[in-house]
């Protein structure tokens, strides 16, 4: 997630932002070099590869495998006819065209629709027209893509909305002979099941007792007492390196638990997880995480323009004319760099574009705004009417070239 991190929304850039890195607690990745290196950590493709393909589609999972993810992660829910599908949200609205196809069936919860109805939805166009026609996959389809050499990490997502999903998941995995509790060569479990719902985990365990379980909390590390209570029946616990320390990871290890990161995307945050001793590193950009952990250049397609800083909460309205929330790009080279047709995404897949003909002068900045304004050489306005950059805790912003090559990923923190 970054070349630079920012605290608060102060209007500072360049060298001042570099100085703020130590305050933010995130190591800066020197352009062109990896942010850090760990001997080994299991790499989890969170929802596949959602930074570069529509999340939890087969295109996303195949891309994660091309990027050498050790594990494919996904969220299991039940259709109305009790079929297991991979969908993250409670509803289908964000990641399919369900509102257009079934306008009268709000709120479009997954469990309101049969598998046949869900299979008729387009789950790719919302992300990019290149993925038009991608479908919501079933668990069986994911198993075929993963094969037996790639691990699976399956979340019992909102099990209250899918009664019986834990038992049905165990039944389907048992039928596929994937419940032996084996560990793969990568160090990943053949199958791991995780959830925020301990009752659902125990329900699953009753039908597939050898499969490793992990408790999903994210955020700060749990207190010692809760870690001890998990140590008797789970294999791991989730946390986020932005709010943990190496001592927190050691506390979990002392209870016999592996520590799994919530998604970390920038070289700096991947390095944070590795340096703190996380056992599994979860990322929306598995290839970037792999290169960072291997000590290689994080972005082989980089052209010298990086995400310098993010201003998610300007004084006033987030989409006010000429001064909306925005992302600042910086040219790190002594030559102009053409960014016409390039685009930015946040972690939820929201999109900002840069118009044709834009070049960032040597050593200079370009501000890419969400809202409306008058375009000028150092600012481009998307003219959107709703802001989306996270201004409550932090987010990830990724920069892509017009050819869809990944150029940079930055994470920022809002205190």
């Amino acid at each position: 997630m970054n070349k630079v991190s920012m605290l608060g929304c102060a209007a500072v850039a360049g060298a001042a932002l570099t100085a703020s890195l130590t305050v933010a607690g995130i190591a800066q990745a020197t352009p062109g070099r990896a942010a850090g290196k760990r001997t080994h950590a299991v790499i989890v493709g969170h929802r596949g590869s959602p930074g570069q393909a529509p999340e939890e589609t087969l295109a996303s999972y195949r891309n994660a495998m091309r990027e050498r993810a050790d594990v494919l992660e996904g969220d299991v829910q039940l259709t109305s006819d009790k079929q297991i599908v991979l969908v993250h949200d409670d509803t289908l609205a964000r990641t399919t065209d369900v509102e257009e196809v079934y306008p009268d069936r709000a709120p479009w919860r997954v469990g309101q629709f049969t598998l046949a109805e869900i299979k008729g939805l387009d789950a790719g166009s919302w992300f990019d027209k290149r993925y038009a026609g991608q479908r919501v996959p079933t668990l069986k389809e994911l198993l075929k893509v993963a094969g037996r050499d790639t691990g699976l990490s399956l979340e019992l997502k909102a099990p209250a909305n899918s009664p019986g999903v834990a038992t049905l998941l165990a039944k389907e995995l048992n039928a596929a002979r994937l419940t032996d509790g084996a560990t793969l060569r990568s160090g990943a479990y053949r199958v791991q099941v995780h959830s925020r719902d301990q009752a659902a985990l125990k329900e699953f365990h009753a039908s597939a007792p050898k499969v490793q379980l992990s408790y999903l909390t994210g955020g700060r590390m749990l207190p010692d007492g809760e870690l001890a209570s998990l140590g008797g029946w789970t294999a791991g616990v989730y946390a986020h390196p932005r709010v943990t320390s190496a001592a927190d990871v050691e506390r979990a290890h002392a209870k016999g638990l592996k520590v799994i990161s919530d998604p970390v995307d920038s070289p700096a945050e991947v390095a944070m997880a590795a340096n703190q001793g996380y056992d599994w590193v979860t990322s929306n950009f598995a290839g970037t995480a792999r290169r960072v952990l291997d000590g290689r250049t994080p972005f082989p397609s980089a052209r010298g323009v990086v995400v310098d800083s993010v201003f998610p909460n300007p004084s006033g309205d987030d989409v006010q004319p000429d001064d909306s929330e925005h992302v600042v790009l910086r040219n790190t080279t002594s030559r102009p760099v053409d960014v016409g047709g390039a685009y930015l995404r946040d972690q939820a897949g929201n999109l900002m574009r840069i118009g044709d003909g834009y070049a960032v002068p040597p050593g200079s900045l370009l501000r890419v705004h969400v809202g409306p304004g008058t375009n000028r050489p150092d600012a481009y306005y998307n003219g959107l009417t709703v802001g989306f950059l996270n201004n409550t805790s932090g987010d990830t912003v990724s920069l892509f070239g017009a050819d869809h090559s990944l150029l940079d990923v930055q994470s920022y923190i809002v205190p």
Side-chain angles (χ1 to χ4, degrees), residues 99-114:
E99 293 186 51
E100 298 174 22
V101 178
Y102 298 106
D104 300 325
R105 293 177 65 175
W108 304 288
R109 292 188 181 277
V110 177
Q112 291 177 242
F113 297 87
T114 66

